[in-house]
Amino acid sequence: MENSKDTPMIDFSRTIYEIKKHWYYYVIAFVLFVGFGTFYMYKKNPVYLFHANMLIEQEGGSGTSSAAMAMMKSFSMAGIGGGSIDDELLVIQSHGIAKEMVKELKLNRQYIDRVDVRNLPLYNNSPVEVNAPDEIFDTIVGVTFHIDIKKNGLVDILVKKGLFETVYEAKSKELPTTVTPSTGGTFVLTKTKYFVPDEERYIIVNVSDNDFVAENYSSQLVIDYASSKSNGIMLELEDNQKQRGLDILNKMFEVYNRRRLAENNTKAISQMKFVDERLAEVTKAMVTSEKELEAFKLKNKITDLAVEAEVLLEQNSANSKSVVEQQTQIAILNMVCNFLEDPQNSYSLIPINTGINNEVAAKAISDYNTLVLNRMQLNASAKDSNKTVKVLDQQIDAMRTGVISTIKNIRDNAKIAFGELSKVSGNVSSRLLSLSENERQFLDLTRNREIQNSLYLFLVEQRESNLLKVGANAPVGRVIDCAYRDTKPIKPKLSFVMALALFATLVFPTLWFIFKTIFAKTIVLKYDVTRFSDASEIEELRIADNDEVDFSLQTRIASEFRTVRNILMKSNPKSLLITSLFEGEGKTFVGGNILKLISNSGKTAVVIDINAEGKISRKLLSTASGNGIVDCLISDISVDSVIRQSSMKNISIITPGTETGIMQEALANEKLQTILNALKEKFDVVVFISGGVESNMTLPIVSDIVDKTLLVLRSNQLAKPYLKFYKLLKPQLNEDKMMVVVNGIKDYKIGCIKTLIKR
């Protein structure tokens, strides 16, 4: 059989054995845990889940002042309007709101009515009340009042700090009464309308400071988004008192709205003050802007800057055109004068007869050209001495002088007009240049006035809006769902408690059995042997009804012995040693049945009884007297003379002999090997059966010369002695040729459980 140490799997056979043996542990655990669960369900007050939902109203700006609102967001008034949902979550989760809720609901005093083993919470229905100034609950050290109400109406009062320290005690007090514990503070105990005369009650009052209770409830409250797509806030709380859970959630919303409303009113009043101050400044700035604009118009003689600019541009264009025309006329007139004054052109036609705007000059030129043309026609047919020609020459000369004089006069007049036009054009251009600068200043003044007007309108609107806020008193949060609770308690759940009890029933005994297996102090199964032995084979034997096993029947014990026999004889050993560490392990029982199987197989065997008490000899021969193995070893007695036939077929036996007191010294004789060799020649198998190693150290002596060793250990024996002797013998043992049998294992079947249950 393969050693369990060589496999990575854990052998749970010992655990299974313990479970079968002590199955009633599960019954006991079931009764205990189910009973504890039932008691817990009775004692524990049901806890309900409470819900509440609130919508945060968000204000949005619109209308004519939206641009001004955007501008003002960069200043101190950016807070106008509702904040984001994250901001409101931070506000409602604040310690201050939780503390105010605790103070208003008086949750710094928790009342409990002790009835039998149950502690029933009291909320606004306690027969007694603990009162003190509000300042005490901000600094008090946590104490517990134990108030024992008697039938006669008197009360015994015990005040404790923690579990063990008593800070006040009084007997038979009449309510109302004053209590002054050594921790500080003065408390007054009074009756309430729920106080019933002649009724005995035991009331416990846990008194704590407001901050501690607020922190406790803050850790229990679940405050989160009601929905990812809305501005809603949801609150959840677990509480074992139905009305208190509702009041806490509703009070949280009430305190939040009251605080946010007070903050908004304070903000609105502060903003109104700021707006009034700014209105005064803006009004003063508006008056200054109007005066500056009026003074600018008077100084620069401006009525309408756009119209004036248009007129000046038209005038400048007309003047420019006139100047060009005058310059053109002067140039033409100069050319005409130059032409007429040239002697070479005395009787030539004046080539310029168009482009002159002056009618007199044009007519004079036309008349002059007519005379010259007549002369040219006459000169073509008459001689130079012709009188008519001479008269025409005189007329032309006279007219030329007149035309020149006329042209020059007109030219001088044109030059005068040109000078006037240039002067006017210069004035217009200068006016246009100054108009650009005036326009910039005018625009600056106008823009400033418009800004002041817009700011004034915005501030007036904000002032009215703040007045409406102060007067409206609208809460920031609109309660969608007032506090409500689930119809069924969320804990304790009977199914969960019973499932936990069943789980504990299965787990704890199993863990105990595993613990016993790991830290076992007894040898019970072959698994226990593997912890200290490296034997190649380990087998188990269950207890039989009788020492003699009937191998004609197909019983389990018979099958187990056959398995042991097959393992022992697998390699056809010629010699065996059957021994144990202590007396009473079952060597005789095991050895006898192994011999019976050898006998049934038709093999011959000789048994050498080296047990000083001769148990196997008496079993097989009914006597252990006479010469035996010791006599052969210490004298000349031949081994053949001490061999006897046993009661079993094919089985012979050699008794211990007459000198059993020196058994160990005799076995150390080298003659033992000679005897063993001789017996091997005569018998198929030589079997040594020894006593316990504790009293006779035969194991290391004989195991060295035999082919196979069978070590018998009894189940349910202490492991410590085994470990002690085995550790001593281990260096001298060849464990590769040793087999261990755990004898006397009790078999606990599951069937016996059913039988007991039926009974």
Side-chain angles (χ1 to χ4, degrees):
M1 178 180 179
E2 186 182 0
N3 192 343
S4 61
K5 284 186 177 182
D6 298 330
T7 175
M9 298 297 292
I10 298 176
D11 189 350
F12 285 103
S13 55
R14 175 66 184 271
T15 304
I16 296 172
Y17 172 82
E18 293 289 346
I19 291 174
K20 290 180 178 180
K21 180 179 179 182
H22 302 100
W23 57 267
Y24 52 88
Y25 281 21
Y26 289 99
V27 177
I28 296 172
F30 178 79
V31 173
L32 288 177
F33 286 116
V34 171
F36 179 77
T38 305
F39 175 76
Y40 176 80
M41 290 295 298
Y42 171 76
K43 179 177 174 59
K44 187 69 174 177
N45 297 308
V47 176
Y48 294 88
L49 182 61
F50 298 85
H51 311 265
N53 293 290
M54 180 173 64
L55 180 66
I56 303 299
E57 302 287 358
Q58 298 283 349
E59 298 182 9
S62 60
T64 58
S65 64
S66 59
M69 176 69 78
M71 176 184 68
M72 291 299 291
K73 285 182 183 283
S74 61
F75 302 111
S76 62
M77 297 182 68
I80 295 176
S84 68
I85 188 67
D86 294 314
D87 296 336
E88 303 308 319
L89 277 173
L90 183 62
V91 173
I92 201 169
Q93 289 172 346
S94 66
H95 177 76
I97 287 184
K99 183 176 180 179
E100 193 168 347
M101 178 271 295
V102 168
K103 292 174 68 174
E104 293 187 14
L105 294 180
K106 298 181 179 180
L107 298 180
N108 44 31
R109 286 152 282 183
Q110 300 281 347
Y111 296 88
I112 298 172
D113 188 5
R114 178 172 292 176
V115 180
D116 298 329
V117 295
R118 302 183 67 190
N119 291 330
L120 303 178
L122 299 175
Y123 176 70
N124 293 337
N125 60 345
S126 172
V128 295
E129 187 175 10
V130 178
N131 296 305
D134 291 338
E135 296 78 11
I136 290 181
F137 295 105
D138 289 328
T139 58
I140 187 176
V141 177
V143 294
T144 303
F145 286 74
H146 296 263
I147 306 171
D148 189 3
I149 305 175
K150 306 297 182 181
K151 282 189 175 183
N152 56 10
L154 301 179
V155 297
D156 293 342
I157 304 170
L158 179 66
V159 183
K160 286 190 173 184
K161 177 185 175 184
L163 294 176
F164 307 105
E165 184 180 354
T166 300
V167 294
Y168 179 86
E169 186 174 6
K171 299 288 186 180
S172 301
K173 288 285 186 177
E174 185 176 356
L175 297 179
T177 185
T178 301
V179 176
T180 55
S182 60
T183 53
T186 300
F187 299 88
V188 178
L189 271 61
T190 59
K191 297 178 182 179
T192 68
K193 62 181 180 180
Y194 300 100
F195 188 93
V196 179
D198 301 329
E199 182 182 25
E200 290 186 348
R201 298 183 71 176
Y202 193 89
I203 307 298
I204 300 173
V205 186
N206 295 315
V207 179
S208 304
D209 63 280
N210 293 322
D211 289 308
F212 175 80
V213 180
E215 289 175 7
N216 184 39
Y217 276 106
S218 295
S219 63
Q220 297 180 33
L221 278 166
V222 177
I223 305 174
D224 205 347
Y225 300 95
S227 169
S228 60
K229 297 183 179 180
S230 69
N231 291 331
I233 294 177
M234 69 92 178
L235 267 66
E236 287 185 353
L237 175 68
E238 297 178 5
D239 203 314
N240 58 6
Q241 218 292 330
K242 298 179 181 179
Q243 188 58 42
R244 181 171 59 197
L246 299 175
D247 289 350
I248 288 174
L249 296 189
N250 289 329
K251 184 60 70 173
M252 286 289 290
F253 281 161
E254 178 187 335
V255 173
Y256 163 78
N257 273 325
R258 191 167 64 232
R259 173 172 289 193
R260 294 294 283 122
L261 187 60
E263 291 174 354
N264 288 344
N265 287 341
T266 302
K267 186 189 299 182
I269 293 171
S270 176
Q271 290 173 357
M272 285 176 58
K273 182 179 179 181
F274 171 77
V275 168
D276 289 340
E277 293 174 355
R278 291 294 297 149
L279 274 174
E281 295 176 4
V282 170
T283 302
K284 188 183 297 183
M286 287 176 61
V287 173
T288 303
S289 297
E290 292 290 344
K291 288 182 178 180
E292 289 177 352
L293 186 60
E294 182 180 359
F296 176 79
K297 288 182 176 180
L298 291 174
K299 178 182 178 181
N300 295 282
K301 299 179 181 179
I302 297 174
T303 54
D304 191 330
L305 194 62
V307 175
E308 185 176 355
E310 184 179 356
V311 172
L312 287 174
L313 287 172
E314 292 178 357
Q315 186 178 356
N316 185 56
S317 177
N319 287 340
S320 298
K321 184 178 180 181
S322 298
V323 167
V324 172
E325 290 177 355
Q326 291 298 326
Q327 286 178 327
T328 303
Q329 290 299 312
I330 291 172
I332 294 173
L333 292 174
N334 283 333
M335 287 190 296
V336 172
C337 287
N338 293 334
F339 181 84
L340 292 175
E341 289 178 347
D342 189 355
Q344 294 180 3
N345 301 323
S346 298
Y347 300 106
S348 298
L349 290 171
I350 300 174
I352 300 173
N353 56 3
T354 60
I356 299 175
N357 295 331
N358 192 286
E359 293 180 0
V360 175
K363 187 165 185 322
I365 292 172
S366 178
D367 292 344
Y368 178 81
N369 284 337
T370 299
L371 287 176
V372 172
L373 182 63
N374 289 335
R375 181 184 180 280
M376 292 173 65
Q377 291 175 354
L378 184 59
N379 196 34
S381 60
K383 299 180 178 180
D384 294 338
S385 61
N386 190 304
K387 293 182 179 180
T388 305
V389 173
K390 291 182 178 180
V391 173
L392 286 174
D393 289 341
Q394 292 175 355
Q395 289 179 350
I396 290 171
D397 292 337
M399 183 171 286
R400 183 184 306 111
T401 303
V403 170
I404 292 171
S405 177
T406 300
I407 293 299
K408 287 184 176 180
N409 288 333
I410 294 173
R411 185 186 63 184
D412 292 339
N413 290 333
K415 288 182 177 180
I416 294 171
F418 173 75
E420 292 295 331
L421 286 173
S422 297
K423 184 178 179 181
V424 172
S425 180
N427 292 335
V428 172
S429 298
S430 177
R431 180 69 174 167
L432 281 173
L433 291 174
S434 64
L435 191 62
S436 299
E437 179 66 22
N438 292 338
E439 183 179 16
R440 184 185 63 78
Q441 296 180 12
F442 181 76
L443 288 176
D444 289 341
L445 293 172
T446 305
R447 186 185 303 110
N448 185 48
R449 183 185 64 180
E450 290 177 355
I451 290 174
Q452 299 298 332
N453 289 340
S454 298
L455 186 58
Y456 179 82
L457 291 175
F458 169 74
L459 291 173
V460 170
E461 183 177 345
Q462 290 304 311
R463 189 175 188 279
E464 294 300 321
S465 176
N466 288 329
L467 284 173
L468 289 174
K469 287 181 182 179
V470 175
N473 290 326
V476 176
R478 176 158 57 93
V479 178
I480 303 300
D481 290 317
C482 291
Y484 65 95
R485 66 174 176 85
D486 295 344
T487 55
K488 294 182 179 180
I490 59 171
K491 57 184 180 182
K493 291 186 177 295
L494 179 62
S495 58
F496 176 78
V497 173
M498 291 298 107
L500 190 61
L502 182 60
F503 176 78
T505 298
L506 297 174
V507 168
F508 282 97
T510 304
L511 290 177
W512 170 247
F513 293 141
I514 293 174
F515 176 81
K516 284 187 66 177
T517 300
I518 296 174
F519 301 98
K521 295 182 179 181
T522 57
I523 300 297
V524 175
L525 305 175
K526 64 182 182 180
Y527 162 77
D528 302 316
V529 178
T530 61
R531 291 185 294 172
F532 62 87
S533 174
D534 293 322
S536 58
E537 292 99 7
I538 303 175
E539 283 298 327
E540 297 175 338
L541 291 174
R542 266 56 178 177
I543 291 179
D545 294 333
N546 302 300
D547 287 345
E548 297 296 331
V549 178
D550 188 353
F551 290 102
S552 64
L553 302 176
Q554 296 299 321
T555 60
R556 185 174 62 182
I557 190 66
S559 176
E560 289 174 350
F561 267 109
R562 288 190 178 97
T563 301
V564 173
R565 186 273 316 271
N566 293 337
I567 294 173
L568 278 172
M569 307 305 294
K570 181 170 59 176
S571 58
N572 290 319
K574 295 292 290 182
S575 58
L576 299 174
L577 169 63
I578 301 175
T579 186
S580 65
L581 296 179
F582 299 94
E583 290 294 339
E585 301 276 14
K587 296 179 298 299
T588 304
F589 167 68
V590 174
N593 286 288
I594 293 294
L595 290 173
K596 186 182 292 187
L597 287 172
I598 293 174
S599 172
N600 293 341
S601 66
K603 290 185 178 183
T604 61
V606 59
V607 179
I608 302 176
D609 188 356
I610 55 176
N611 186 343
E613 297 180 2
K615 290 184 178 180
I616 191 68
S617 299
R618 285 193 293 271
K619 180 176 181 179
L620 298 178
L621 297 175
S622 300
T623 180
S625 60
N627 292 331
I629 187 63
V630 176
D631 300 299
C632 294
L633 292 172
I634 64 174
S635 65
D636 294 334
I637 299 176
S638 66
V639 70
D640 293 334
S641 65
V642 296
I643 298 174
R644 305 180 189 182
Q645 180 62 38
S646 72
S647 58
M648 293 183 188
K649 184 178 65 173
N650 299 327
I651 303 298
S652 300
I653 187 168
I654 300 174
T655 63
T658 58
E659 302 292 337
T660 57
I662 58 171
M663 176 70 73
Q664 187 170 350
E665 290 77 6
L667 292 175
N669 194 323
E670 294 180 357
K671 193 176 179 181
L672 180 63
Q673 182 68 57
T674 304
I675 295 174
L676 177 61
N677 293 335
L679 293 174
K680 285 182 180 180
E681 295 293 332
K682 190 173 183 179
F683 297 94
D684 294 327
V685 183
V686 179
V687 180
F688 289 90
I689 300 180
S690 75
V693 177
E694 179 188 22
S695 58
N696 188 356
M697 295 293 287
T698 56
L699 178 59
I701 298 174
V702 181
S703 65
D704 191 46
I705 62 174
V706 297
D707 298 329
K708 196 79 173 180
T709 299
L710 177 63
L711 180 65
V712 179
L713 303 178
R714 179 168 291 280
S715 177
N716 287 308
Q717 298 294 321
L718 290 176
K720 191 172 181 180
Y722 282 132
L723 295 175
K724 176 182 176 182
F725 286 104
Y726 203 87
K727 184 177 180 181
L728 179 65
L729 298 172
K730 193 175 181 70
Q732 306 174 51
L733 298 177
N734 186 355
E735 291 182 309
D736 290 337
K737 65 175 186 178
M738 185 174 72
M739 178 180 182
V740 178
V741 170
V742 182
N743 177 42
I745 297 176
K746 294 182 180 180
D747 187 17
Y748 295 91
K749 296 181 179 179
I750 299 297
C752 68
I753 300 176
K754 298 180 180 178
T755 303
L756 288 174
I757 292 175
K758 288 179 180 179
R759 291 179 181 177

